[in-house]
């Protein structure tokens, strides 16, 4: 195999690994605490992105926004018909079942 072919194969493998890491890595899953709440940090998105909740149990989502982006000024839970503003640096609680 020629040197240029080896370089192309190595670059291809590197790109495949990067795509897997960037797009397909496992997202952290949050469990509810004993009091039925989960704190969600709003910084360029929501962290954690996935929350595991028992069916029919109420849960309190506590959003803490630290990002100044205008796109994150509000959270919308359309299935629950909830729309709430997220003031910068403050915690906002939303309880859903």
């Amino acid at each position: 195999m020629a040197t240029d072919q080896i370089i192309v194969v190595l670059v291809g493998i590197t790109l495949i690994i990067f795509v897997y890491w960037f797009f397909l890595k496992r997202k952290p899953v949050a469990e509810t605490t004993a009091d039925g709440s989960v704190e969600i940090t709003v910084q360029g998105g929501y962290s954690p992105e996935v929350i595991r909740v028992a069916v029919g149990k109420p849960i309190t989502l506590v959003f803490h926004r630290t990002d100044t982006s205008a796109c994150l000024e509000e959270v919308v839970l359309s299935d629950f018909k909830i729309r709430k503003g997220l003031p910068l640096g403050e915690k906002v609680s939303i309880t859903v079942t």
Side-chain angles (χ1 to χ4, degrees):
M1 204 182 263
T3 305
D4 59 341
Q5 292 174 325
I6 293 172
I7 292 171
V8 168
V9 169
L10 290 176
V11 168
I13 290 171
T14 304
L15 287 174
I16 290 170
I17 292 170
F18 173 75
V19 167
Y20 174 77
W21 173 81
F22 191 79
F23 292 106
L24 303 175
K25 64 184 173 193
R26 186 172 178 170
K27 295 177 172 68
V29 176
E31 301 279 342
T32 57
T33 59
D35 65 349
S37 68
V38 173
E39 184 158 333
I40 301 168
T41 303
V42 183
Q43 175 68 38
Y46 300 98
S47 180
E49 294 178 14
V50 178
I51 300 169
R52 188 171 294 143
V53 181
V55 176
K57 301 252 179 163
I59 180 173
T60 302
L61 305 172
V62 181
F63 292 90
H64 183 232
R65 180 173 156 237
T66 58
D67 193 328
T68 59
S69 172
C71 296
L72 299 170
E73 289 179 345
E74 185 175 62
V75 64
V76 178
L77 305 172
S78 57
D79 290 346
F80 298 100
K81 296 180 176 55
I82 295 173
R83 169 177 253 144
K84 260 201 167 167
L86 300 176
L88 185 61
E90 295 181 26
K91 292 186 178 183
V92 176
S93 297
I94 299 173
T95 302
V96 294
T97 301

